[in-house]
Amino acid sequence: VAKSEERNAARLYSPMMQAAARRRLALATELRRALAKDEFRLVYQPSVELRSGRIVAVEALLRWHHPERGEILPGEFIPLAERLGLIRHIDEWVLDAACAQMRRWIDAGLPPLRVAVNVSASWFGHPGFIAGVRERIATWRMPSDRLLLEITEGAILQLGDDLQRTMRALHEMGVGVAIDDFGTGYSSLSYLKLPAIACLKIDQSFVAGLPDSANDAAIVEAMLALSGNLGLYAIAEGIENEAQHAFLLRAGCAEGQGYLYSRPVSVAEVERMLRRRPDPNPFRLHLVPPAG
Ligand code: C2E
Ligand code: MG
Ligand code: MG
Ligand code: MG
């Protein structure tokens, strides 16, 4: 049985695997030209104050609009860009585009927002990183305290000797750093004392199990205590339902992101949501946690 299953599997999956490999190869070629051909776009996912439902920040998330293949998600092309050594240039483009967008929003008189930008280990560890950030801030007259750079524990681990210097430089510029996907890395916690660290983003894998998983609940509560005691703020990621929202609110989490409030959306859609005032709770949430 095992033998024939193997043969079947080979017959069934090998053409699929070949197709996947062909796509990867083609994407690699096309990714090299995507920046020059202006095929990248940013979408923005709102981050809300859990207590009020008010939008306080947005995270810039990258989309590749391929002329033939349509929209491609970062999960597929970011690892490819990393392998090809392109990610650093893409990150720089993203920071530039996000700061430009913030400048337009400020000039248009929209309510003040923080903008979060993901930074790969490769750019974070590059000698030109600090100069690149400083240049974007100057070009777009970006209020630096409204910029949050999201890095992973993996990026911190890779940096070694330059870590202190990089973090001090960001701190002096007034730029905050968030630890993205917090709790999924394999590093020590000592880096949480570094200058510029302002925020922990609780990974969605822990939020997913709330409120029923006792383990996830304990982990999330411990993360919130840790961030509070260190003077950091926490953002919970991947909030998809009201029960998760209620748990996090009650546990003292200040801010959250997730499909419950909004998917990542276009600039026009962000503006529409921001203008939908004076409604303080545009998401129709039950903001008072249910009794019991
Ligand atoms: P991330 O920074 O942790 O971003 C959160 C991801 O979770 C986003 O996926 C977002 O769409 C998704 N998400 C948000 N709310 C929910 C929810 O309620 N449920 C679920 N299931 N998912 C939710 P996206 O946009 O596909 O990005 C995936 C990852 O790609 C990001 O994870 C980030 O690591 C990376 N990435 C995205 N844009 C950039 C970029 O400009 N530069 C770099 N270096 N990496 C980026
Ligand atoms: Mg992120
Ligand atoms: Mg994240
Ligand atoms: Mg994540």
Side-chain angles (χ1 to χ4, degrees):
V1 178
K3 265 266 148 44
S4 78
E5 249 170 27
E6 228 169 73
R7 261 196 307 275
N8 278 339
R11 237 191 347 261
L12 280 173
Y13 295 122
S14 141
M16 272 171 63
M17 279 155 64
Q18 280 177 27
R22 258 201 311 277
R23 178 175 162 102
R24 270 197 305 278
L25 204 65
L27 287 184
T29 311
E30 291 151 9
L31 193 54
R32 291 180 207 279
R33 300 187 203 116
L35 259 183
K37 290 170 72 187
D38 195 28
E39 290 171 3
F40 289 117
R41 288 291 172 269
L42 290 181
V43 288
Y44 294 87
Q45 184 175 40
S47 191
V48 312
E49 183 182 60
L50 296 185
R51 194 169 41 78
S52 64
R54 207 166 50 92
I55 299 172
V56 288
V58 289
E59 177 176 3
L61 291 162
L62 192 57
R63 298 293 179 260
W64 178 12
H65 287 272
H66 192 285
E68 286 99 40
R69 302 174 199 272
E71 182 176 275
I72 305 176
L73 292 171
E76 184 170 11
F77 69 82
I78 297 268
L80 198 58
E82 275 165 3
R83 279 204 298 283
L84 297 170
L86 299 170
I87 188 64
R88 180 161 60 82
H89 307 287
I90 294 176
D91 280 352
E92 290 192 70
W93 180 89
V94 170
L95 180 63
D96 191 72
C99 289
Q101 185 54 58
M102 273 295 276
R103 171 48 48 206
R104 286 191 287 273
W105 278 334
I106 292 169
D107 290 346
L110 265 76
L113 285 181
R114 173 164 31 80
V115 66
V117 172
N118 293 285
V119 171
S120 67
S122 153
W123 192 31
F124 186 65
H126 191 270
F129 172 63
I130 289 297
V133 174
R134 188 174 280 125
E135 186 194 315
R136 267 48 177 220
I137 287 175
T139 301
W140 298 108
R141 289 174 295 118
M142 172 79 198
S144 55
D145 60 343
R146 288 207 217 159
L147 180 61
L148 189 68
L149 299 178
E150 299 194 0
I151 58 174
T152 60
E153 293 163 85
I156 295 239
L157 273 180
Q158 274 193 24
L159 213 56
D161 289 349
D162 290 331
L163 182 59
Q164 281 283 348
R165 202 154 41 81
T166 299
M167 297 302 280
R168 216 174 312 116
L170 289 174
H171 189 57
E172 277 159 16
M173 274 190 263
V175 173
V177 169
I179 305 301
D180 204 352
D181 306 338
F182 181 65
T184 64
Y186 293 93
S187 50
S188 80
L189 293 175
S190 58
Y191 68 84
L192 293 178
K193 299 182 292 187
L194 285 166
I197 302 274
C199 170
L200 301 182
K201 294 195 78 173
I202 298 175
D203 189 66
Q204 55 191 49
S205 61
F206 304 109
V207 174
L210 300 179
D212 297 330
S213 158
N215 287 338
D216 285 344
I219 291 169
V220 166
E221 278 167 349
M223 286 175 172
L224 290 171
L226 180 66
S227 65
N229 290 334
L230 288 171
L232 312 174
Y233 63 96
I235 303 178
E237 299 188 301
I239 304 173
E240 295 185 351
N241 59 56
E242 295 244 357
Q244 292 165 343
H245 171 93
F247 178 95
L248 288 159
L249 181 63
R250 216 168 352 188
C253 183
E255 202 176 314
Q257 247 173 282
Y259 296 167
L260 176 63
Y261 319 106
S262 171
R263 297 205 168 231
V265 294
S266 68
V267 166
E269 187 64 21
V270 171
E271 290 171 358
R272 210 176 60 77
M273 285 193 250
L274 286 174
R275 292 207 168 98
R276 205 157 55 189
R277 291 187 302 166
D279 187 348
N281 174 14
F283 303 106
R284 304 274 155 234
L285 299 169
H286 301 115
L287 293 171
V288 180

PDB file of all heavy atoms in Angstrom, residues 22 25 50 77 143 159 166 174 181 190 198 217 244-246 249-251 267 279:
ATOM      1  N   ARG A  22       8.777  26.303 -10.946  1.00  0.00           N
ATOM      2  CA  ARG A  22       8.825  27.197 -12.121  1.00  0.00           C
ATOM      3  C   ARG A  22       8.400  28.613 -11.742  1.00  0.00           C
ATOM      4  O   ARG A  22       9.010  29.591 -12.167  1.00  0.00           O
ATOM      5  CB  ARG A  22       7.907  26.662 -13.227  1.00  0.00           C
ATOM      6  CG  ARG A  22       8.668  25.949 -14.349  1.00  0.00           C
ATOM      7  CD  ARG A  22       7.856  25.893 -15.631  1.00  0.00           C
ATOM      8  NE  ARG A  22       6.483  25.421 -15.427  1.00  0.00           N
ATOM      9  CZ  ARG A  22       6.134  24.131 -15.362  1.00  0.00           C
ATOM     10  NH1 ARG A  22       7.051  23.189 -15.507  1.00  0.00           N
ATOM     11  NH2 ARG A  22       4.875  23.780 -15.165  1.00  0.00           N
ATOM     12  N   LEU A  25      11.099  30.413  -9.795  1.00  0.00           N
ATOM     13  CA  LEU A  25      12.190  30.817 -10.685  1.00  0.00           C
ATOM     14  C   LEU A  25      11.798  32.077 -11.462  1.00  0.00           C
ATOM     15  O   LEU A  25      12.581  33.018 -11.583  1.00  0.00           O
ATOM     16  CB  LEU A  25      12.494  29.663 -11.648  1.00  0.00           C
ATOM     17  CG  LEU A  25      13.891  29.643 -12.246  1.00  0.00           C
ATOM     18  CD1 LEU A  25      14.919  29.416 -11.144  1.00  0.00           C
ATOM     19  CD2 LEU A  25      13.993  28.537 -13.301  1.00  0.00           C
ATOM     20  N   LEU A  50      -7.679  49.773  22.245  1.00  0.00           N
ATOM     21  CA  LEU A  50      -8.725  48.794  22.541  1.00  0.00           C
ATOM     22  C   LEU A  50      -9.858  49.386  23.374  1.00  0.00           C
ATOM     23  O   LEU A  50     -11.016  49.018  23.229  1.00  0.00           O
ATOM     24  CB  LEU A  50      -8.133  47.584  23.267  1.00  0.00           C
ATOM     25  CG  LEU A  50      -7.109  46.753  22.472  1.00  0.00           C
ATOM     26  CD1 LEU A  50      -6.701  45.512  23.269  1.00  0.00           C
ATOM     27  CD2 LEU A  50      -7.654  46.345  21.116  1.00  0.00           C
ATOM     28  N   PHE A  77       6.934  36.619  -1.524  1.00  0.00           N
ATOM     29  CA  PHE A  77       8.083  37.259  -2.172  1.00  0.00           C
ATOM     30  C   PHE A  77       9.148  37.804  -1.222  1.00  0.00           C
ATOM     31  O   PHE A  77      10.286  38.011  -1.639  1.00  0.00           O
ATOM     32  CB  PHE A  77       7.628  38.335  -3.171  1.00  0.00           C
ATOM     33  CG  PHE A  77       7.010  39.567  -2.556  1.00  0.00           C
ATOM     34  CD1 PHE A  77       7.807  40.587  -2.061  1.00  0.00           C
ATOM     35  CD2 PHE A  77       5.629  39.710  -2.491  1.00  0.00           C
ATOM     36  CE1 PHE A  77       7.245  41.725  -1.514  1.00  0.00           C
ATOM     37  CE2 PHE A  77       5.059  40.838  -1.935  1.00  0.00           C
ATOM     38  CZ  PHE A  77       5.872  41.849  -1.452  1.00  0.00           C
ATOM     39  N   PRO A 143       7.740  63.578  11.583  1.00  0.00           N
ATOM     40  CA  PRO A 143       7.901  63.664  13.040  1.00  0.00           C
ATOM     41  C   PRO A 143       8.417  62.300  13.528  1.00  0.00           C
ATOM     42  O   PRO A 143       7.683  61.314  13.463  1.00  0.00           O
ATOM     43  CB  PRO A 143       6.487  63.939  13.555  1.00  0.00           C
ATOM     44  CG  PRO A 143       5.655  64.254  12.336  1.00  0.00           C
ATOM     45  CD  PRO A 143       6.329  63.631  11.169  1.00  0.00           C
ATOM     46  N   LEU A 159      22.704  41.159  14.806  1.00  0.00           N
ATOM     47  CA  LEU A 159      23.471  42.398  14.702  1.00  0.00           C
ATOM     48  C   LEU A 159      24.789  42.392  15.469  1.00  0.00           C
ATOM     49  O   LEU A 159      25.746  42.996  15.033  1.00  0.00           O
ATOM     50  CB  LEU A 159      22.612  43.596  15.110  1.00  0.00           C
ATOM     51  CG  LEU A 159      22.978  44.846  14.317  1.00  0.00           C
ATOM     52  CD1 LEU A 159      22.865  44.567  12.841  1.00  0.00           C
ATOM     53  CD2 LEU A 159      22.119  46.009  14.714  1.00  0.00           C
ATOM     54  N   THR A 166      23.512  51.138  16.916  1.00  0.00           N
ATOM     55  CA  THR A 166      22.326  51.342  16.068  1.00  0.00           C
ATOM     56  C   THR A 166      21.131  51.787  16.894  1.00  0.00           C
ATOM     57  O   THR A 166      20.428  52.746  16.534  1.00  0.00           O
ATOM     58  CB  THR A 166      21.983  50.033  15.324  1.00  0.00           C
ATOM     59  OG1 THR A 166      23.092  49.684  14.498  1.00  0.00           O
ATOM     60  CG2 THR A 166      20.745  50.190  14.472  1.00  0.00           C
ATOM     61  N   GLY A 174      14.879  59.903  17.985  1.00  0.00           N
ATOM     62  CA  GLY A 174      13.505  59.920  18.472  1.00  0.00           C
ATOM     63  C   GLY A 174      12.622  58.854  17.850  1.00  0.00           C
ATOM     64  O   GLY A 174      11.401  58.878  17.992  1.00  0.00           O
ATOM     65  N   ASP A 181       6.311  40.101  16.184  1.00  0.00           N
ATOM     66  CA  ASP A 181       6.141  38.662  16.422  1.00  0.00           C
ATOM     67  C   ASP A 181       6.772  38.257  17.755  1.00  0.00           C
ATOM     68  O   ASP A 181       7.386  37.180  17.870  1.00  0.00           O
ATOM     69  CB  ASP A 181       6.770  37.833  15.285  1.00  0.00           C
ATOM     70  CG  ASP A 181       6.262  38.236  13.912  1.00  0.00           C
ATOM     71  OD1 ASP A 181       5.165  38.823  13.846  1.00  0.00           O
ATOM     72  OD2 ASP A 181       6.949  37.985  12.923  1.00  0.00           O
ATOM     73  N   SER A 190      17.353  40.006  27.306  1.00  0.00           N
ATOM     74  CA  SER A 190      18.196  41.132  27.719  1.00  0.00           C
ATOM     75  C   SER A 190      18.115  42.303  26.742  1.00  0.00           C
ATOM     76  O   SER A 190      18.275  43.451  27.121  1.00  0.00           O
ATOM     77  CB  SER A 190      19.641  40.673  27.880  1.00  0.00           C
ATOM     78  OG  SER A 190      20.097  40.121  26.667  1.00  0.00           O
ATOM     79  N   ALA A 198      10.483  50.433  22.231  1.00  0.00           N
ATOM     80  CA  ALA A 198       9.308  51.124  22.754  1.00  0.00           C
ATOM     81  C   ALA A 198       8.099  50.215  22.859  1.00  0.00           C
ATOM     82  O   ALA A 198       7.161  50.507  23.592  1.00  0.00           O
ATOM     83  CB  ALA A 198       8.980  52.322  21.857  1.00  0.00           C
ATOM     84  N   ALA A 217      -3.377  32.205  27.277  1.00  0.00           N
ATOM     85  CA  ALA A 217      -3.809  33.266  28.185  1.00  0.00           C
ATOM     86  C   ALA A 217      -2.692  33.618  29.166  1.00  0.00           C
ATOM     87  O   ALA A 217      -2.400  34.805  29.390  1.00  0.00           O
ATOM     88  CB  ALA A 217      -5.077  32.834  28.940  1.00  0.00           C
ATOM     89  N   GLN A 244     -11.586  37.635  21.857  1.00  0.00           N
ATOM     90  CA  GLN A 244     -10.163  37.969  21.980  1.00  0.00           C
ATOM     91  C   GLN A 244     -10.009  39.426  22.392  1.00  0.00           C
ATOM     92  O   GLN A 244      -9.199  39.758  23.271  1.00  0.00           O
ATOM     93  CB  GLN A 244      -9.454  37.714  20.642  1.00  0.00           C
ATOM     94  CG  GLN A 244      -9.379  36.240  20.275  1.00  0.00           C
ATOM     95  CD  GLN A 244      -9.024  36.006  18.814  1.00  0.00           C
ATOM     96  OE1 GLN A 244      -9.132  36.899  17.965  1.00  0.00           O
ATOM     97  NE2 GLN A 244      -8.608  34.786  18.507  1.00  0.00           N
ATOM     98  N   HIS A 245     -10.771  40.303  21.758  1.00  0.00           N
ATOM     99  CA  HIS A 245     -10.747  41.729  22.095  1.00  0.00           C
ATOM    100  C   HIS A 245     -11.056  41.934  23.579  1.00  0.00           C
ATOM    101  O   HIS A 245     -10.334  42.643  24.286  1.00  0.00           O
ATOM    102  CB  HIS A 245     -11.764  42.476  21.222  1.00  0.00           C
ATOM    103  CG  HIS A 245     -11.995  43.898  21.622  1.00  0.00           C
ATOM    104  ND1 HIS A 245     -11.299  44.955  21.062  1.00  0.00           N
ATOM    105  CD2 HIS A 245     -12.844  44.446  22.532  1.00  0.00           C
ATOM    106  CE1 HIS A 245     -11.716  46.081  21.610  1.00  0.00           C
ATOM    107  NE2 HIS A 245     -12.649  45.805  22.506  1.00  0.00           N
ATOM    108  N   ALA A 246     -12.109  41.286  24.065  1.00  0.00           N
ATOM    109  CA  ALA A 246     -12.533  41.468  25.454  1.00  0.00           C
ATOM    110  C   ALA A 246     -11.460  40.964  26.424  1.00  0.00           C
ATOM    111  O   ALA A 246     -11.153  41.626  27.418  1.00  0.00           O
ATOM    112  CB  ALA A 246     -13.858  40.735  25.700  1.00  0.00           C
ATOM    113  N   LEU A 249      -8.494  43.461  26.378  1.00  0.00           N
ATOM    114  CA  LEU A 249      -8.891  44.706  27.034  1.00  0.00           C
ATOM    115  C   LEU A 249      -8.837  44.543  28.553  1.00  0.00           C
ATOM    116  O   LEU A 249      -8.271  45.358  29.273  1.00  0.00           O
ATOM    117  CB  LEU A 249     -10.301  45.086  26.575  1.00  0.00           C
ATOM    118  CG  LEU A 249     -10.902  46.372  27.110  1.00  0.00           C
ATOM    119  CD1 LEU A 249     -10.089  47.584  26.654  1.00  0.00           C
ATOM    120  CD2 LEU A 249     -12.341  46.519  26.645  1.00  0.00           C
ATOM    121  N   ARG A 250      -9.408  43.449  29.021  1.00  0.00           N
ATOM    122  CA  ARG A 250      -9.455  43.172  30.450  1.00  0.00           C
ATOM    123  C   ARG A 250      -8.067  42.908  31.009  1.00  0.00           C
ATOM    124  O   ARG A 250      -7.761  43.235  32.146  1.00  0.00           O
ATOM    125  CB  ARG A 250     -10.361  41.969  30.722  1.00  0.00           C
ATOM    126  CG  ARG A 250     -11.148  42.092  31.983  1.00  0.00           C
ATOM    127  CD  ARG A 250     -12.242  41.072  32.133  1.00  0.00           C
ATOM    128  NE  ARG A 250     -12.462  40.263  30.930  1.00  0.00           N
ATOM    129  CZ  ARG A 250     -13.476  39.424  30.805  1.00  0.00           C
ATOM    130  NH1 ARG A 250     -14.342  39.299  31.787  1.00  0.00           N
ATOM    131  NH2 ARG A 250     -13.625  38.704  29.718  1.00  0.00           N
ATOM    132  N   ALA A 251      -7.196  42.316  30.198  1.00  0.00           N
ATOM    133  CA  ALA A 251      -5.842  41.999  30.653  1.00  0.00           C
ATOM    134  C   ALA A 251      -4.928  43.225  30.623  1.00  0.00           C
ATOM    135  O   ALA A 251      -3.767  43.136  30.999  1.00  0.00           O
ATOM    136  CB  ALA A 251      -5.248  40.881  29.796  1.00  0.00           C
ATOM    137  N   VAL A 267      -4.895  53.516   0.909  1.00  0.00           N
ATOM    138  CA  VAL A 267      -4.823  54.858   1.481  1.00  0.00           C
ATOM    139  C   VAL A 267      -6.218  55.492   1.544  1.00  0.00           C
ATOM    140  O   VAL A 267      -6.604  56.067   2.562  1.00  0.00           O
ATOM    141  CB  VAL A 267      -3.873  55.740   0.639  1.00  0.00           C
ATOM    142  CG1 VAL A 267      -4.033  57.215   0.983  1.00  0.00           C
ATOM    143  CG2 VAL A 267      -2.431  55.293   0.844  1.00  0.00           C
ATOM    144  N   ASP A 279     -17.731  59.637  15.394  1.00  0.00           N
ATOM    145  CA  ASP A 279     -17.925  58.318  15.979  1.00  0.00           C
ATOM    146  C   ASP A 279     -16.621  57.810  16.596  1.00  0.00           C
ATOM    147  O   ASP A 279     -15.660  57.568  15.893  1.00  0.00           O
ATOM    148  CB  ASP A 279     -18.389  57.345  14.878  1.00  0.00           C
ATOM    149  CG  ASP A 279     -18.774  55.994  15.434  1.00  0.00           C
ATOM    150  OD1 ASP A 279     -18.470  55.737  16.614  1.00  0.00           O
ATOM    151  OD2 ASP A 279     -19.373  55.211  14.691  1.00  0.00           O
TER     152      ASP A 279
END
